[in-house]
Amino acid sequence: MATELSAWQSEPSPLVIKNSEVHLWRFSLKPEVVSLATLKKLLSRNELDRAARLLDANKSHDFILARSYLRSILGKYLQLPPEEIRFRYNQHRKPFIAAVHKSDIQFNLSHSHSQAVLAVASANEIGIDIEWIDPALNYQSLAEHFFLPEEQSLLNGYPVDEKNHAFYRLWTRKEALLKCLGCGFHNLTEPLMQITEPFKTIQTFPLMGNFLCTCVVQNEVKCIIRINTPKLTQMLINLNIF
């Protein structure tokens, strides 16, 4: 069954997700008028500590903003204030909604440069990756370092003028697959072609401008519904937080 990819649309009302769907939210990590002090009130002590360990101020800001969006969006599904959501983490730091919330919502977050995407599914393991396609990237060096021989051979099979884009298709697919599995690059010992077999939905598509996105879902889904996320400022106003 082919998976339908919807046009970008406003948030569905009511916000209900079916087992046969994925909701894909996109948002910008560019600064908003809301202060970092306000956003930090939404985060847990663990998240604040992680932000503080990021010595680059821009990376710390992006982390805080991304987690604020994550909590605000998930709060819509859980019908909870963002700051009350509790997460658990696996050994590779992949977050899950804590069992105390008794929810089957699964999610995965990815960002590149100033753009971010959050994929949400119901009772379905999910992984997402977004990358900005850098036309000047030394993809061959990265492929030699991170790709297995079978994957390098697959990349080398593309014409020269298509290799840059092909690299990003392979990279986002590999990243999304590994995130769906809940592990990192250093854990992979099988080539990409083999680890795709257990997954029923793998979709790669342009996101905006020069960005490419891959979404991987454990089971088959009929539709990926793409949602334009409201400004975080507006969401917080609606929640009487800002």
Side-chain angles (χ1 to χ4, degrees):
M1 178 184 70
T3 301
E4 177 187 349
L5 192 64
S6 82
W8 291 101
Q9 58 189 261
S10 300
E11 176 186 327
S13 181
L15 182 59
V16 177
I17 187 167
K18 302 174 182 177
N19 289 353
S20 59
E21 297 175 342
V22 166
H23 289 178
L24 184 66
W25 302 73
R26 69 174 177 183
F27 53 90
S28 170
L29 295 179
K30 293 179 180 178
E32 295 193 31
V33 295
V34 59
S35 70
L36 279 182
T38 299
L39 298 183
K40 287 180 178 179
K41 294 177 182 178
L42 306 182
L43 307 190
S44 68
R45 171 48 54 190
N46 173 274
E47 290 167 323
L48 293 173
D49 289 343
R50 288 177 63 186
R53 288 195 296 270
L54 295 171
L55 301 180
D56 185 313
N58 290 328
K59 290 183 179 179
S60 179
H61 170 272
D62 287 353
F63 176 83
I64 292 170
L65 189 54
R67 297 297 284 214
S68 298
Y69 265 110
L70 170 66
R71 285 179 167 274
S72 297
I73 294 170
L74 291 180
K76 293 172 177 286
Y77 292 97
L78 299 175
Q79 298 184 351
L80 284 173
E83 66 274 16
E84 292 186 11
I85 298 174
R86 293 169 60 183
F87 296 113
R88 63 181 178 86
Y89 298 84
N90 72 5
Q91 60 180 328
H92 302 294
R93 302 298 300 167
K94 181 178 180 179
F96 300 88
I97 293 172
V100 67
H101 297 307
K102 298 179 181 179
S103 172
D104 59 6
I105 290 290
Q106 301 286 327
F107 67 93
N108 200 225
L109 176 69
S110 179
H111 60 87
S112 176
H113 292 248
S114 63
Q115 300 299 321
V117 287
L118 172 65
V120 180
S122 177
N124 222 342
E125 293 287 350
I126 192 165
I128 190 82
D129 187 50
I130 176 180
E131 299 289 342
W132 177 69
I133 300 177
D134 180 358
L137 180 75
N138 184 356
Y139 58 83
Q140 198 63 51
S141 176
L142 285 172
E144 290 172 359
H145 185 74
F146 289 105
F147 285 2
L148 298 174
E150 296 90 339
E151 295 158 357
Q152 293 184 45
S153 177
L154 187 62
L155 176 62
N156 291 334
Y158 285 87
V160 173
D161 61 347
E162 296 179 17
K163 280 188 177 180
N164 180 272
H165 196 272
F167 169 81
Y168 278 103
R169 286 185 62 85
L170 291 169
W171 182 278
T172 58
R173 175 171 288 210
K174 185 164 186 169
E175 182 86 16
L177 281 162
L178 292 172
K179 291 176 75 177
C180 192
L181 288 168
C183 59
F185 270 100
H186 59 284
N187 299 100
L188 183 62
T189 58
E190 297 182 21
L192 184 62
M193 295 76 78
Q194 293 181 23
I195 62 171
T196 59
E197 292 177 5
F199 300 98
K200 304 303 182 185
T201 303
I202 303 174
Q203 287 282 318
T204 301
F205 48 90
L207 195 67
M208 63 196 83
N210 214 29
F211 288 87
L212 192 69
C213 181
T214 293
C215 181
V216 174
V217 193
Q218 183 181 31
N219 297 310
E220 193 171 57
V221 295
K222 294 180 179 179
C223 184
I224 297 177
I225 299 175
R226 299 190 291 183
I227 303 170
N228 287 312
T229 310
K231 287 284 188 180
L232 182 59
T233 306
Q234 186 59 53
M235 285 196 285
L236 298 185
I237 290 173
N238 294 341
L239 292 169
N240 297 316
I241 293 174
F242 177 60

